[in-house]
Amino acid sequence: QVQLVESGGGLVQAGGSPRLSCAASGFTLDNFAIGWFRQAPGKEREGVTCTSSGDGYTYYADSVKGRFTISRDNAKNTLYLQMNSVKAEDSGLYYCARGEIAALTGEHYYDYWGQGTQVTAAS
């Protein structure tokens, strides 16, 4: 059974550096594209970052480029999102998702999603 479970969210101060985790089970994470998405209240869900299988290609939304880093720990079958210099506008429900290809847009490329973890950045 494929599962993705996010953790690591919470209330953080603006400028802080939280790290989100996404524990994968039921499949080998490194064999798939994987992405982080977020949704703020009243807004559509948007792609934050994604990476292809085997870490071949990595993409970042312009709004987070230079501040966020996506990585995998294949031994733990876990995906991470290191968030640095967090801003109030980074607040939202963060999801990880397994994909056919790495794409920041086009959620139809992603077949399994976690339940999300809330990040609230207080200014």
Side-chain angles (χ1 to χ4, degrees):
Q1 181 182 2
V2 172
Q3 278 194 315
L4 296 164
V5 180
E6 302 95 335
S7 61
L11 179 64
V12 299
Q13 290 294 316
S17 299
R19 187 178 77 160
L20 306 184
S21 300
C22 171
S25 59
F27 69 102
T28 300
L29 190 63
D30 198 39
N31 291 343
F32 290 84
I34 197 84
W36 284 99
F37 295 77
R38 69 185 179 190
Q39 187 168 24
K43 295 188 177 181
E44 291 188 355
R45 189 159 56 188
E46 63 175 353
V48 176
T49 177
C50 57
T51 184
S52 61
S53 60
D55 291 330
Y57 299 95
T58 300
Y59 303 98
Y60 293 94
D62 288 343
S63 59
V64 306
K65 203 171 292 183
R67 299 188 298 120
F68 291 9
T69 303
I70 188 172
S71 64
R72 310 177 198 240
D73 183 331
N74 292 330
K76 295 182 179 180
N77 216 37
T78 298
L79 178 75
Y80 299 101
L81 179 66
Q82 178 65 49
M83 306 168 66
N84 295 327
S85 302
V86 166
K87 306 174 183 179
E89 52 263 42
D90 293 321
S91 298
L93 191 59
Y94 281 72
Y95 301 88
C96 61
R98 188 185 83 167
E100 177 185 349
I101 63 170
L104 285 178
T105 59
E107 292 189 7
H108 59 278
Y109 292 119
Y110 295 84
D111 56 358
Y112 286 94
W113 295 74
Q115 82 289 349
T117 185
Q118 179 69 39
V119 173
T120 303
S123 57

